[in-house]
């Protein structure tokens, strides 16, 4: 997966933050929780789209790996990723 690429289009941008907010407050479902956990704290919550927006627009810290390329989550947590079509 790629951290922060919530919509799986190969880029991390405002569309990913908007989708994360929709998943948190409207639909309640995310296909890849590891990608949704932008700050890598082991949770998917409001802090994740805020972290991504901070990175994108306020010179915030870069999200933890895997961010710039596909990879596995180096942090042991209860989140998983059922599928992420852009990564083999």
């Amino acid at each position: 997966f790629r951290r922060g690429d919530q919509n799986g289009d190969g880029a991390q941008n405002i569309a990913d933050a908007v989708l994360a907010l929709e998943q948190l407050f409207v639909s309640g479902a995310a296909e890849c929780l590891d990608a949704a956990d932008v700050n890598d704290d082991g949770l998917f919550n409001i802090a994740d789209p805020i972290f991504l927006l901070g990175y994108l627009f306020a010179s915030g810290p870069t999200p933890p790996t895997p961010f710039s390329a596909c990879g596995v989550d180096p942090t042991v947590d209860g989140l998983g990723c059922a599928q992420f079509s852009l990564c083999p």
Side-chain angles (χ1 to χ4, degrees), residues 6-7 16-33 36 44:
Q6 193 73 359
N7 60 12
D16 298 297
V18 170
L19 180 57
L21 290 168
E22 180 181 322
Q23 291 168 332
L24 284 167
F25 297 107
V26 179
S27 73
E31 289 185 20
C32 182
L33 288 173
F44 174 43

Side-chain angles (χ1 to χ4, degrees), residues 26-88:
V26 179
S27 73
E31 289 185 20
C32 182
L33 288 173
D34 273 328
D37 183 17
V38 181
N39 61 8
D40 197 22
D41 66 354
L43 304 170
F44 174 43
N45 55 32
I46 188 69
D48 297 300
I50 290 172
F51 191 98
L52 182 59
L53 291 169
Y55 166 74
L56 292 171
F57 300 108
S59 301
T62 301
T65 59
F67 179 68
S68 59
C70 294
V72 296
D73 191 353
T75 306
V76 176
D77 56 38
L79 303 179
C81 190
Q83 70 175 15
F84 196 81
S85 59
L86 292 178
C87 298

